[in-house]
Amino acid sequence: MDDLKNAGFDMFPFFEMTPDLVCIANKAGYFKKVNPAVLEKLGYTEEELFATPIASFIHPEDKALTASTRAELLNGKALINFQNRYRTKSGNFIWLQWTSIYFAEKEVVFAIAKEVTEKKIIEKEVEEKYKKFKSLATHFKEHLEKDKKYIAIELHEELAQLASVAKLDIAWVNDNETGLTAAAKSRLEHALAVTNVLVNTMRKISFSISPNMLDDLGLHDTIEWLCKDFSILNGINCVFENNYDEAHLSKETKLDFFRICQEALSNVLTHAQASNVKISIDGVDDEVRLCIADDGKGFEINEQKYKWGLTTIRERVASINGRLSIESEIGKGTTICVMVRQELADIN
């Protein structure tokens, strides 16, 4: 390899001894020089390596990405920590992580690689475990929501209907019985008012337990209704701004976004002493972002880290593999944002 020696790319003793894979390749895509670690890891002789295009050793699934990355390398972009699979002489594949640089004036690539097969196996195992637990979490959440829906239906269709019948009977007696004393009349009017409150409360609890509106009208209308209801009942201005097409959100994500809004508004009502709340959904790069911002008293985040409301939100965000951001300062309100990757949110 006199030409390589003259070009200043002779293998130093350090590269001969290092356990890392060190090689020099030409612009045409052939190995021109390798250290002993390359021969040991791949199992080929120098003659076999030098006579075969490098692309022939690459896993079929990695060839396209490797080719495009190599094209960038030849155009002057340094290659750092790029991973792909190489076929060994025994027929197995190993994962290599490359750092490479192209010397245009000599038309050669100088590259160093570490084997990361064990690391990739561990990553794969972790990914499979995550998918398993994600599936279990989704399964439990679906069953929990199914049970909630059943309770909500019973509450709305059965108990609320019975309370409505009682209300009608009380109203009939109050309107048609002429011999009632003033005290009896007063008690009937009080009972009528109580049953009216009871019916409305049951309907609100039913919606809170299982929002059928979410299935019927969608996330936008449901959160908009939630905001209006929150404003009317509590005297706190609440607005909803939606800049994202909810058709791209999975049913699970819609439900989780709604539950997070419920929990956040409950926290605002209980702790924030706010006058205004804004809920927004928009797309940011490759993520969907839900934010709930209030102008309340704020808090020290570290002191509130393990409070029940925030813990509930954290757990729900984790269940959809999202990211939670909480910003708050004493006297300057609180903003809670949930970010979910769009390709995850799109899965139905």
Side-chain angles (χ1 to χ4, degrees), residues 167-205:
K167 175 185 172 182
L168 291 173
D169 287 344
I170 293 171
W172 187 92
V173 172
N174 188 48
D175 294 338
N176 294 279
E177 288 295 329
T178 58
L180 296 173
T181 64
K185 192 84 170 173
S186 176
R187 295 300 294 269
L188 283 173
E189 289 175 352
H190 180 263
L192 189 61
V194 169
T195 53
N196 189 54
V197 171
L198 179 61
V199 170
N200 289 332
T201 300
M202 285 181 178
R203 286 171 177 165
K204 287 183 182 298
I205 293 174

Coordinates of all heavy atoms in Angstrom, one line a residue, residues 167-205:
K167 N -89.1 14.2 40.7 CA -89.2 15.7 40.5 C -90.6 16.0 39.9 O -91.3 16.9 40.4 CB -88.1 16.2 39.6 CG -88.2 17.7 39.2 CD -87.2 18.1 38.2 CE -87.4 19.5 37.7 NZ -86.4 19.8 36.7
L168 N -91.0 15.2 38.9 CA -92.3 15.5 38.3 C -93.5 15.2 39.3 O -94.5 16.0 39.3 CB -92.5 14.6 37.1 CG -91.6 14.9 35.9 CD1 -91.7 13.8 34.8 CD2 -91.9 16.3 35.3
D169 N -93.3 14.1 40.1 CA -94.4 13.8 41.1 C -94.5 14.9 42.1 O -95.6 15.4 42.5 CB -94.1 12.5 41.7 CG -94.3 11.3 40.8 OD1 -95.0 11.5 39.8 OD2 -93.8 10.2 41.1
I170 N -93.4 15.4 42.6 CA -93.4 16.5 43.6 C -94.0 17.8 42.9 O -94.8 18.4 43.6 CB -91.9 16.8 44.1 CG1 -91.4 15.6 44.8 CG2 -91.9 18.1 44.9 CD1 -89.9 15.7 45.2
A171 N -93.6 18.1 41.7 CA -94.2 19.2 41.0 C -95.7 19.1 40.9 O -96.4 20.1 41.0 CB -93.5 19.4 39.7
W172 N -96.2 17.9 40.5 CA -97.6 17.7 40.4 C -98.4 17.9 41.7 O -99.4 18.6 41.7 CB -97.9 16.3 39.9 CG -99.3 16.0 39.5 CD1 -99.9 16.2 38.3 CD2 -100.4 15.6 40.4 NE1 -101.2 15.9 38.3 CE2 -101.5 15.6 39.6 CE3 -100.4 15.3 41.7 CZ2 -102.8 15.2 40.2 CZ3 -101.6 14.9 42.3 CH2 -102.8 14.9 41.5
V173 N -97.8 17.3 42.7 CA -98.5 17.5 44.0 C -98.5 19.0 44.4 O -99.5 19.5 44.9 CB -97.8 16.7 45.1 CG1 -98.3 17.0 46.5 CG2 -97.9 15.2 44.9
N174 N -97.4 19.6 44.2 CA -97.3 21.1 44.6 C -98.2 21.9 43.8 O -98.8 22.9 44.3 CB -95.8 21.5 44.3 CG -95.6 22.9 44.9 OD1 -95.9 23.2 46.0 ND2 -94.9 23.8 44.0
D175 N -98.5 21.6 42.5 CA -99.4 22.4 41.6 C -100.8 22.0 41.7 O -101.7 22.9 41.5 CB -98.9 22.2 40.2 CG -97.5 22.8 39.9 OD1 -97.1 23.7 40.7 OD2 -96.9 22.4 38.9
N176 N -101.1 20.8 42.1 CA -102.5 20.3 42.1 C -103.2 20.1 43.4 O -104.5 20.1 43.5 CB -102.6 19.0 41.3 CG -102.2 19.2 39.8 OD1 -103.1 19.7 39.0 ND2 -101.0 18.9 39.5
E177 N -102.5 19.9 44.5 CA -103.1 19.8 45.8 C -103.4 21.1 46.4 O -102.5 21.9 46.7 CB -102.2 18.9 46.7 CG -102.1 17.5 46.3 CD -103.5 16.8 46.5 OE1 -104.3 17.2 47.4 OE2 -103.7 15.8 45.7
T178 N -104.7 21.4 46.5 CA -105.1 22.8 47.0 C -105.2 22.9 48.5 O -105.2 24.0 49.1 CB -106.5 23.1 46.4 OG1 -107.4 22.1 46.8 CG2 -106.4 23.2 44.9
G179 N -105.2 21.7 49.2 CA -105.4 21.8 50.7 C -104.1 21.8 51.5 O -104.1 21.5 52.7
L180 N -103.0 22.0 50.8 CA -101.7 22.0 51.5 C -101.5 23.2 52.4 O -101.9 24.3 52.1 CB -100.6 22.0 50.5 CG -100.5 20.7 49.5 CD1 -99.4 20.9 48.5 CD2 -100.2 19.5 50.4
T181 N -100.9 22.9 53.5 CA -100.6 24.0 54.4 C -99.4 24.8 53.9 O -98.7 24.3 53.0 CB -100.2 23.5 55.8 OG1 -99.0 22.7 55.7 CG2 -101.3 22.7 56.4
A182 N -99.1 26.0 54.4 CA -98.0 26.8 53.9 C -96.7 26.1 54.2 O -95.8 26.1 53.4 CB -98.0 28.1 54.7
A183 N -96.6 25.4 55.3 CA -95.4 24.6 55.7 C -95.1 23.5 54.7 O -94.0 23.3 54.2 CB -95.5 24.1 57.1
A184 N -96.3 22.7 54.4 CA -96.1 21.6 53.4 C -95.8 22.2 52.0 O -94.9 21.6 51.3 CB -97.4 20.9 53.4
K185 N -96.4 23.3 51.7 CA -96.1 23.9 50.4 C -94.6 24.3 50.3 O -93.9 24.0 49.3 CB -97.0 25.1 50.2 CG -96.9 25.7 48.8 CD -97.9 25.0 47.9 CE -98.1 25.8 46.6 NZ -98.9 25.1 45.7
S186 N -94.1 24.8 51.4 CA -92.7 25.2 51.4 C -91.7 24.0 51.3 O -90.7 24.1 50.6 CB -92.4 26.0 52.7 OG -91.0 26.3 52.9
R187 N -92.1 22.9 52.0 CA -91.3 21.7 52.0 C -91.3 21.1 50.6 O -90.3 20.6 50.1 CB -91.8 20.7 53.0 CG -91.6 21.2 54.5 CD -90.1 21.5 54.8 NE -89.3 20.3 54.8 CZ -89.1 19.5 55.8 NH1 -89.6 19.8 57.0 NH2 -88.3 18.4 55.7
L188 N -92.4 21.1 49.9 CA -92.5 20.6 48.6 C -91.7 21.4 47.6 O -91.0 20.9 46.7 CB -94.0 20.6 48.1 CG -94.8 19.4 48.6 CD1 -96.3 19.6 48.2 CD2 -94.3 18.1 48.2
E189 N -91.7 22.7 47.7 CA -90.9 23.6 46.9 C -89.4 23.4 47.1 O -88.6 23.4 46.2 CB -91.3 25.1 47.1 CG -92.7 25.4 46.6 CD -93.1 26.8 46.9 OE1 -92.4 27.5 47.7 OE2 -94.1 27.3 46.4
H190 N -89.1 23.1 48.4 CA -87.7 22.8 48.7 C -87.3 21.5 48.1 O -86.2 21.3 47.5 CB -87.5 22.8 50.2 CG -86.1 22.5 50.6 ND1 -85.7 21.2 51.0 CD2 -85.0 23.3 50.7 CE1 -84.4 21.2 51.3 NE2 -83.9 22.5 51.2
A191 N -88.1 20.5 48.2 CA -87.9 19.2 47.6 C -87.7 19.2 46.1 O -86.9 18.6 45.5 CB -89.0 18.2 48.0
L192 N -88.6 20.1 45.5 CA -88.5 20.3 44.1 C -87.2 20.9 43.7 O -86.5 20.4 42.7 CB -89.6 21.2 43.6 CG -89.9 21.3 42.1 CD1 -90.2 20.0 41.5 CD2 -91.0 22.3 41.8
A193 N -86.7 21.9 44.4 CA -85.4 22.5 44.1 C -84.3 21.5 44.3 O -83.3 21.4 43.5 CB -85.2 23.7 45.0
V194 N -84.4 20.7 45.4 CA -83.3 19.7 45.6 C -83.3 18.6 44.5 O -82.2 18.3 44.1 CB -83.5 19.0 47.0 CG1 -82.6 17.8 47.2 CG2 -83.3 20.0 48.1
T195 N -84.4 18.1 44.1 CA -84.4 17.1 43.0 C -83.9 17.7 41.7 O -83.2 17.0 40.9 CB -85.8 16.5 42.8 OG1 -86.8 17.6 42.6 CG2 -86.3 15.7 44.0
N196 N -84.1 19.0 41.5 CA -83.6 19.6 40.3 C -82.1 19.7 40.3 O -81.4 19.4 39.3 CB -84.2 21.0 40.2 CG -83.9 21.6 38.8 OD1 -84.2 21.1 37.8 ND2 -83.3 22.8 38.8
V197 N -81.6 20.0 41.5 CA -80.1 20.1 41.7 C -79.6 18.6 41.6 O -78.5 18.4 40.9 CB -79.8 20.7 43.0 CG1 -78.3 20.5 43.3 CG2 -80.1 22.1 43.1
L198 N -80.3 17.7 42.1 CA -79.9 16.3 42.1 C -79.7 15.8 40.7 O -78.7 15.1 40.3 CB -80.8 15.4 42.9 CG -80.5 13.9 42.9 CD1 -79.2 13.7 43.6 CD2 -81.7 13.2 43.7
V199 N -80.7 16.0 39.8 CA -80.7 15.6 38.4 C -79.5 16.2 37.7 O -78.8 15.5 37.0 CB -82.0 16.0 37.7 CG1 -81.9 15.7 36.2 CG2 -83.2 15.1 38.3
N200 N -79.3 17.5 37.8 CA -78.2 18.2 37.2 C -76.9 17.7 37.6 O -75.9 17.5 36.8 CB -78.3 19.7 37.4 CG -79.5 20.3 36.6 OD1 -79.9 19.8 35.6 ND2 -80.0 21.4 37.1
T201 N -76.8 17.4 39.0 CA -75.5 16.9 39.5 C -75.2 15.6 39.0 O -74.0 15.3 38.6 CB -75.6 16.9 41.0 OG1 -75.8 18.2 41.5 CG2 -74.3 16.4 41.6
M202 N -76.2 14.7 38.9 CA -76.0 13.4 38.3 C -75.5 13.4 36.9 O -74.6 12.7 36.5 CB -77.3 12.5 38.4 CG -77.6 12.1 39.8 SD -79.1 11.1 39.8 CE -79.2 10.6 41.5
R203 N -76.1 14.3 36.1 CA -75.7 14.5 34.7 C -74.3 15.0 34.6 O -73.5 14.5 33.7 CB -76.7 15.4 34.0 CG -78.0 14.7 33.7 CD -79.0 15.7 33.2 NE -80.3 15.0 32.9 CZ -81.5 15.6 32.7 NH1 -81.5 16.9 32.8 NH2 -82.5 14.9 32.5
K204 N -73.9 15.9 35.5 CA -72.5 16.4 35.4 C -71.5 15.3 35.9 O -70.5 15.2 35.3 CB -72.4 17.6 36.4 CG -73.1 18.9 35.8 CD -72.8 20.1 36.7 CE -73.6 21.3 36.2 NZ -73.0 21.7 34.9
I205 N -71.9 14.6 36.9 CA -71.0 13.5 37.4 C -70.9 12.4 36.3 O -69.8 11.9 36.0 CB -71.5 12.9 38.7 CG1 -71.4 13.9 39.8 CG2 -70.7 11.6 39.0 CD1 -72.1 13.4 41.1

